[in-house]
Structures are given as structure tokens and as C-alpha cells.
């Protein structure tokens, strides 16, 4: 795949990566859950439910449902903010970091495969 891919090539890469994720035995994430997870890991903390809702332009219950699922998977943790007990902080986990590292490796591998 070229360094400056066409939209079709970029979509082809995304297609291959998502197919491999769905074929994997592990539970897959919705696009919203993946966006939340990437935000938590790629944007410096702190991350709050309220902040994530604002960033994704959704309600707090939408974020809470996504975090419930990702918490069950061990990808994130939630704790009360000691400085402001009204806030719930979203914390990174080792399992979440490993999930995204594996995803990143998969994207790199597929991009190289498409380059030929």
C-alpha cells in the first residue's frame, strides 16, 4: 500500500483488518467502543465519562454502556475522581494496551501485505 493511499486502498486495508478481527475468536468491539478505547489510549489523560460523551457527541449513558462492555473485557477501568467525587475517571489497563498493540500490529501487517 503506498504511503499516500487512495480512498479505495484505505478502505481495502480497513476491510481486511475488520474481517480478520471478526474472524478472530475474541470478542470484537463496536466502532463506538473502538473510538472510545483509542481516545483513552492515544489522548493524554484524564478521561471522564462526561468528557468522552462530549468528545464523541453522545450522551453519558451511551458512554457508560460502552465502558460497561469494555470493562467486562478488561480493556478499561473506572474509578471515582478523588478530587471531584462527581466525576468517573476512565483508566487504561494492561489488557487494553495489549489489545491495541495487537490491532496496530495487524494493521501494519495488512498494509505490508497489500503493498506486495
Amino acid at each position: 500500500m503506498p504511503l499516500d493511499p487512495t480512498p479505495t486502498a484505505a478502505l481495502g486495508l480497513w476491510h481486511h483488518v475488520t474481517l480478520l478481527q471478526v474472524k478472530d475468536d475474541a470478542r470484537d468491539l463496536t466502532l463506538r467502543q473502538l473510538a472510545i478505547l483509542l481516545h483513552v489510549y492515544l489522548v493524554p489523560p484524564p478521561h471522564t465519562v462526561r468528557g468522552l460523551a462530549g468528545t464523541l457527541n453522545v450522551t453519558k449513558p451511551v458512554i457508560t454502556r460502552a465502558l460497561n462492555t469494555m470493562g467486562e473485557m478488561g480493556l478499561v477501568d473506572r474509578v471515582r475522581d478523588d478530587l471531584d467525587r462527581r466525576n468517573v475517571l476512565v483508566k487504561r489497563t494492561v489488557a487494553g494496551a495489549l489489545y491495541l498493540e495487537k490491532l496496530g500490529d495487524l494493521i501494519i501487517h495488512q498494509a505490508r501485505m497489500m503493498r506486495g
Side-chain angles (χ1 to χ4, degrees):
M1 187 162 159
L3 290 177
D4 190 16
T6 65
T8 301
L11 289 171
L13 174 60
W14 188 245
H15 176 232
H16 286 288
V17 170
T18 56
L19 278 177
L20 290 171
Q21 282 187 292
V22 170
K23 289 178 181 179
D24 190 6
D25 286 336
R27 289 177 57 184
D28 52 9
L29 299 177
T30 67
L31 196 53
R32 178 174 289 139
Q33 291 166 342
L34 184 57
I36 292 167
L37 190 64
L38 285 167
H39 189 80
V40 167
Y41 282 82
L42 297 178
V43 175
H47 300 288
T48 63
V49 171
R50 180 179 297 130
L52 289 168
T55 298
L56 275 73
N57 197 31
V58 297
T59 63
K60 290 191 299 184
V62 168
I63 297 297
T64 298
R65 283 191 301 275
L67 292 175
N68 286 344
T69 300
M70 292 188 295
E72 290 170 9
M73 296 171 73
L75 302 177
V76 294
D77 279 331
R78 285 181 284 183
V79 296
R80 282 271 172 213
D81 183 351
D82 288 334
L83 300 176
D84 184 347
R85 302 291 295 164
R86 297 171 297 172
N87 284 332
V88 175
L89 298 175
V90 180
K91 300 287 190 175
R92 300 167 180 167
T93 65
V94 172
L98 291 173
Y99 180 92
L100 287 177
E101 184 176 345
K102 181 181 173 185
L103 178 59
D105 288 343
L106 181 61
I107 293 167
I108 290 167
H109 176 74
Q110 285 303 303
R112 288 179 179 153
M113 296 286 290
M114 290 178 73
R115 258 188 254 149

